[in-house]
Amino acid sequence: MTQRYLFPPAPVVALPIRGLAEQFPVQRLFFVGRNYHAHAVEMGKPVDKSAERPFYFTKSPQTLTLSGATTPYPSETANYHFEMELVMAIGKPGFRVKAEDAHDIIYGYASGLDMTRRDLQLAARDKGRPWDLGKDVEHSAVCSEVVPMPGQVIERGAIELSVNGQVKQASNVDQLIWNIREIIADLSLFYHLQPGDLIYTGTPEGVGAVQPGDRITGRVEGVGDVALTVGPKA
Ligand code: MN
């Protein structure tokens, strides 16, 4: 007998895949914090890779928003920020994956935005509180279609973001503090990575605030474009 539910269950969260009719069903959304030196410095928290390990936060899969959308300017913030990021799409299970084997669980990549209530994130950070209200924001995990690149490790490529046509972020993926292999190796010590997991790899310097009506466009060389229009206040 088919399972019955008290109310309709939430739909499967998924992304289109370039060149395929099938969609990429999304499991978890992981985000690497402070993974470009110049961004860590602008956040007032420089990173010493020799003495530190990467850190992560997560967002609910329900925050995933397909590139091209118009989403409301969120409630309870006066400092809503863009962060342009390269996104990894995991295609195979992986636990305690060695860096040299990391390519094996990569299905592909996407271009993403880690939209952030910066005022609430920094207030939480400075009080030692969780970042959820600053980061796990409705509609805040913006993502392009997934580009199949199975087994490929992206080591370099321009990463750029503009607001209303004006360039705000311009860096290169070769500036990642912890690279693709190192992120998979480290994160998979804590989680059994699964097909459908997305890993946002961090943002370069130049983050900033948006206003209702702003149009954000970004790209990662060799992957593709991402866009978001900020709608009226929620
Ligand atoms: Mn980020």
Side-chain angles (χ1 to χ4, degrees):
M1 180 181 156
T2 304
Q3 181 66 54
R4 297 169 69 221
Y5 297 98
L6 185 61
F7 50 84
V12 172
V13 175
L15 291 169
I17 303 172
R18 184 181 296 172
L20 291 183
E22 291 84 359
Q23 297 240 318
F24 184 88
V26 173
Q27 295 292 320
R28 292 169 294 186
L29 307 180
F30 296 104
F31 293 74
V32 184
R34 294 175 208 142
N35 203 18
Y36 288 80
H37 281 297
H39 173 63
V41 168
E42 77 182 348
M43 290 290 103
K45 301 283 184 182
V47 173
D48 176 1
K49 188 178 181 182
S50 69
E52 297 179 45
R53 292 178 61 178
F55 72 95
Y56 310 93
F57 56 90
T58 60
K59 299 192 185 197
S60 315
Q62 290 76 18
T63 65
L64 192 71
T65 298
L66 183 59
S67 173
T70 298
T71 61
Y73 188 99
S75 60
E76 299 298 322
T77 183
N79 199 18
Y80 194 42
H81 271 211
F82 53 81
E83 296 189 0
M84 178 68 209
E85 310 205 1
L86 170 65
V87 182
M88 273 188 256
I90 300 299
K92 293 181 184 172
F95 182 57
R96 294 177 180 149
V97 180
K98 293 189 175 72
E100 59 264 34
D101 298 329
H103 59 276
D104 190 51
I105 71 166
I106 294 171
Y107 175 75
Y109 295 87
S111 292
L113 301 172
D114 167 18
M115 300 299 294
T116 301
R117 286 180 178 116
R118 187 72 70 202
D119 40 4
L120 300 196
Q121 181 212 358
L122 295 185
R125 185 189 78 180
D126 294 344
K127 290 188 169 82
R129 293 176 178 170
W131 288 11
D132 299 59
L133 297 180
K135 284 294 193 178
D136 188 25
V137 179
E138 291 170 351
H139 313 291
S140 69
V142 183
C143 199
S144 71
E145 63 182 357
V146 173
V147 182
M149 298 172 65
Q152 291 189 46
V153 173
I154 293 183
E155 294 178 333
R156 62 189 62 81
I159 180 168
E160 300 168 349
L161 178 143
S162 296
V163 177
N164 303 326
Q166 185 175 2
V167 176
K168 301 290 189 182
Q169 295 187 276
S171 185
N172 195 292
V173 173
D174 68 8
Q175 297 298 302
L176 282 169
I177 298 173
W178 286 280
N179 65 28
I180 298 298
R181 289 186 183 277
E182 291 168 328
I183 292 166
I184 288 175
D186 188 79
L187 185 59
S188 72
L189 297 174
F190 300 93
Y191 292 94
H192 292 73
L193 295 178
Q194 300 169 26
D197 288 340
L198 298 180
I199 306 171
Y200 284 62
T201 57
T203 195
E205 68 276 17
V207 300
V210 290
Q211 301 299 329
D214 281 349
R215 170 81 171 167
I216 304 168
T217 54
R219 64 182 281 273
V220 179
E221 182 183 3
V223 177
D225 299 332
V226 64
L228 178 72
T229 299
V230 181
K233 291 188 176 181

